[in-house]
Amino acid sequence: MSESKPATDPILSVENVDVSYGRVNAVRGVSFSVPEGGLVALVGANGAGKSSVLAAVSGLVRPAAGKVILGGRDITRWPAHRRVGAGLVLVPEGRQILGTLTVAENLRLGAHRRRRHAAPESEMYELFPVLAERRALPASALSGGEQQMLAIARAMIARPKVVLLDEPSMGLAPKMVDEIFTVIEKIRASGVTVVLVEQNARRALSAADTGHVLETGEIARSGPASELLKDPKVVQAYLGVE
Ligand SMILES: Nc1ncnc2c1ncn2[C@@H]1O[C@H](COP(=O)(O)OP(=O)(O)OP(=O)(O)O)[C@@H](O)[C@H]1O
Ligand SMILES: [Mg+2]
């Protein structure tokens, strides 16, 4: 049967995904979908399973059950590099840039992963001016916030369709957190779909259209981000009093 795809088809869907590490069931029955150009936040406490969901989506772990669908294609069994080739790129927790390589070399590695689509380096320096000034420095010489910018730039140079950001604001000073969120808004404004994992639930939900709250491996609450920000249970557990 050939049905034409409705315009509302999500670009990414996670369907009933389980992730297990030996006997630890880190993620159970997680489902959510992301419309093209959308910004979805996954929030939750330490150990809730946020990074494990991103690992299943990016191909770093094989889910024990469930499916990952990208642009209508079942990619559950694809290796990670093939997902990158298809435009699904992860910015991992803790940045994982190569400290002995320069800023420019780190960017080139990012571009190499998706050579036919990659943006010119100069485009990244426009988006991240702080990197332009530091392009010849070893990445280890950058501040934590600058290293996070580099990690995001290394993903963006591959011109992803969907970018998965794992705790981009972690450990950063408030001013740097603001800059990171400004960059996330710009990425989103450029039409790239964003899945944002954060412990900083208030900031993440403020930036997102839709949010999902993960609790011990399961989605406990989902909805428009603006409603989750007002949900008494979410406020009490994740947002605290202002
Ligand atoms: N490689 C692994 N081997 C065994 N257990 C793991 C592994 N990675 C994660 N876990 C466990 O799976 C659960 C979910 O971990 P995960 O890293 O996905 O949580 P998280 O929400 O990203 O937490 P955080 O906010 O601390 O980054 C935790 O109980 C964790 O200890
Ligand atoms: Mg994590």
Side-chain angles (χ1 to χ4, degrees), residues 51 93 166-167:
S51 297
E93 193 173 1
D166 196 348
E167 309 235 24

Side-chain angles (χ1 to χ4, degrees), residues 41 205 208-213 219 221-228:
L205 291 172
D209 320 306
T210 306
H212 304 283
V213 179
I219 293 187
R221 264 183 155 61
S222 293
S226 57
E227 286 179 19
L228 291 177

Side-chain angles (χ1 to χ4, degrees), residues 87 89 114 117-120 123-124 155-162 192:
V89 178
R114 199 163 182 248
H117 299 269
E123 207 174 284
M124 292 303 110
M156 295 310 296
I157 199 169
R159 287 219 172 104
K161 292 183 189 146
V162 180
V192 174

